[in-house]
């Protein structure tokens, strides 16, 4: 750091003089005093992308609401499953599958996964990068497609009425903080046992004690997961139906079953370290230890779009993961993600737009939210905008539905669950090969929340 240069008082004075000499900054400063930054740079020069019309527009149930939690991947995945069940049974009105039920077991499995990982890293010492990564990040609400598949295959699903939301399931920050502090305390205690020469049996006893405490906390926060339930619904002909003494697993097997395994996680990663038509996994990424390994098939964006459109044309909605942290409007009746509607360059002379490869390499973007694609507008054989079902409630955007421009889609969509039947023979073969393992801090190890 000897050659680094500090800001001198003379340079600071010059910066101030230059700023005051440019009167445009006076108007910008005054505007920002009473308005959000994104509202000041908002542009209508490309207003065509705001239209809420789509050449392919699948009918769907009303949106759901994850509230103050990071369970978007669970909500959006369950939204896919509920459409299948509601269509098969001709259910009238809103129908939801319990997100709380899946979130309960996701937390429990993540805790177990993390405790076992900490134990497996004991011989690497306190300075292990992997150990530091695990302890720093802890567990969160977020997840990925294959993690969802592992949960529903093991624990099944149930109607929302069988395990309703609680204050804690809808507001998870305090619970997560408590869990992660306790995990770090476990790491401290188990490391002391290891250094003292204790047997692995003593370590396993400590782990079981912690797992018991964590289980009790989760039941306190989320409620008791149902073992049996009656499924009641009204069909569109106003007929009442009831199925008695179902279990979550029997309910899942009856209406979903192995069809959940027909989906493949496709990603678009245009970075030098990831080849197209190659499968990848991420070290220490998962929840259910014996569950499905997180596996991504890397495809070019043009191919991913083609597969998504093919799936939509056949009436199948698409679960997907994206970076939605920028270029968004959700306060009005529209709801929009469009990079062309925000002009930072004219106001601040800051060009924050660079290509997807660079954004991934320089940690400017990664997947952080999962939703469902329910429609697309195609002109001259090319997509123009996409219809997005979100899980932020029906009082945002267009009753909870958003428009995503195609240029935004290119830059910020990273993952989609694609049915195997749409993949080519070569793509399936690439997916089924042993995946290349990426480091845990790779951008494609981030979780949608």
């Amino acid at each position: 750091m000897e050659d680094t240069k500090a800001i001198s008082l003379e340079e600071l004075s010059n910066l101030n003089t230059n700023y005051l000499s440019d009167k445009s900054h006076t108007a910008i400063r005054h505007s920002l005093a009473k308005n959000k930054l994104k509202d000041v740079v908002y542009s209508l020069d490309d207003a065509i992308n705001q239209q809420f019309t789509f050449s392919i527009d699948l009918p769907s149930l009303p949106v759901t609401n994850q509230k103050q939690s990071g369970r978007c991947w669970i909500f959006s995945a369950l939204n896919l499953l509920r459409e299948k069940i509601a269509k098969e049974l001709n259910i009238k009105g809103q129908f939801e599958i319990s997100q709380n039920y899946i979130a309960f077991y996701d937390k429990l499995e993540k805790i177990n996964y993390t405790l076992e990982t900490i134990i497996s890293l004991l011989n690497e010492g306190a300075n292990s990068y992997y150990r530091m990564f695990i302890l720093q990040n802890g567990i969160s609400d977020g997840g990925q497609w294959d993690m969802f598949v592992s949960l529903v295959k093991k624990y099944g699903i149930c109607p929302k009425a069988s395990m309703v939301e609680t204050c804690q399931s809808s507001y998870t920050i305090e619970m997560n903080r408590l869990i992660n502090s306790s995990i770090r305390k476990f790491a401290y205690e188990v490391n002391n046992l290891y250094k003292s020469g204790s047997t692995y049996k003593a370590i396993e006893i400590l782990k079981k004690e912690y797992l018991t405490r964590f289980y009790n906390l989760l039941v306190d926060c989320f409620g008791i997961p149902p073992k049996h339930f009656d499924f009641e619904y009204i069909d569109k002909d106003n007929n009442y139906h009831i199925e008695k003494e179902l279990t979550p697993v029997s309910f899942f097997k009856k209406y979903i079953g192995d069809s959940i395994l027909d989906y493949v996680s496709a990603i678009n990663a245009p970075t030098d370290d990831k080849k197209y038509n190659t499968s990848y996994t991420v070290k220490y990424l998962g929840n259910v230890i014996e569950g499905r390994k997180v596996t991504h098939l890397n495809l070019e964006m043009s191919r991913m779009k083609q597969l998504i459109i093919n799936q939509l044309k056949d009436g199948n909605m698409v679960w997907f993961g994206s970076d939605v942290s920028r270029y968004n409007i959700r306060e009005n009746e529209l709801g929009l993600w469009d990079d062309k509607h925000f002009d930072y360059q004219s106001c601040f002379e800051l060009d924050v737009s660079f290509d997807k490869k660079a954004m991934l390499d320089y940690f400017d973007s990664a997947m952080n939210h999962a939703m469902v694609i329910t429609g697309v507008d195609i002109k001259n054989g090319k997509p123009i905008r996409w219809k997005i079902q979100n899980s932020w409630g029906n009082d945002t955007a267009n009753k909870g539905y958003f428009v995503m421009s195609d240029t935004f889609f290119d830059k910020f969509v990273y993952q989609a669950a694609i049915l195997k039947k749409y993949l080519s023979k070569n793509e399936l073969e690439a997916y089924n090969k042993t995946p290349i393992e990426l480091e845990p801090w790779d951008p494609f190890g981030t979780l949608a929340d």
Side-chain angles (χ1 to χ4, degrees), residues 28 31-32 35-43 343 347-348:
I28 296 170
S31 183
L32 286 172
N35 297 281
K36 295 178 180 179
L37 192 150
K38 68 177 183 180
D39 292 338
V40 171
V41 302
Y42 184 67
S43 167
D343 183 8
C347 279
F348 309 116

Side-chain angles (χ1 to χ4, degrees), residues 277-281 293 295-297 426-436:
N277 297 313
T278 305
S279 61
Y280 295 89
T281 189
K293 177 182 285 190
T295 304
H296 303 308
L297 175 64
N426 289 339
E427 288 166 343
L428 275 174
E429 288 177 353
Y431 175 78
N432 289 322
K433 286 183 179 178
T434 301
I436 296 170

Side-chain angles (χ1 to χ4, degrees), residues 15 25 40 92 189 278 294 313 353 412:
L15 289 170
H25 284 295
V40 171
K92 180 180 180 180
E189 292 184 5
T278 305
V294 173
K313 284 181 177 178
S353 176
F412 298 111

Side-chain angles (χ1 to χ4, degrees), residues 46-89:
D46 194 27
I48 190 172
N49 280 341
Q50 292 191 357
Q51 296 182 37
F52 204 79
T53 55
F54 308 90
S55 53
I56 300 174
D57 192 352
L58 304 184
S60 55
L61 292 165
V63 299
T64 53
N65 194 343
Q66 68 187 81
K67 297 187 178 179
Q68 292 176 285
S69 73
R71 299 172 293 162
C72 64
W73 61 292
I74 292 173
F75 273 70
S76 52
L78 289 176
N79 284 347
L80 283 187
L81 303 193
R82 69 171 179 157
E83 293 287 350
K84 183 179 185 300
I85 297 171
K87 184 176 181 180
E88 180 177 337
L89 299 179

Side-chain angles (χ1 to χ4, degrees), residues 85-87 89-95 231 233-236:
I85 297 171
K87 184 176 181 180
L89 299 179
N90 201 32
I91 293 176
K92 180 180 180 180
Q94 176 67 307
F95 168 62
F231 177 38
Y233 65 94
I234 305 294
D235 67 24
K236 292 181 180 178

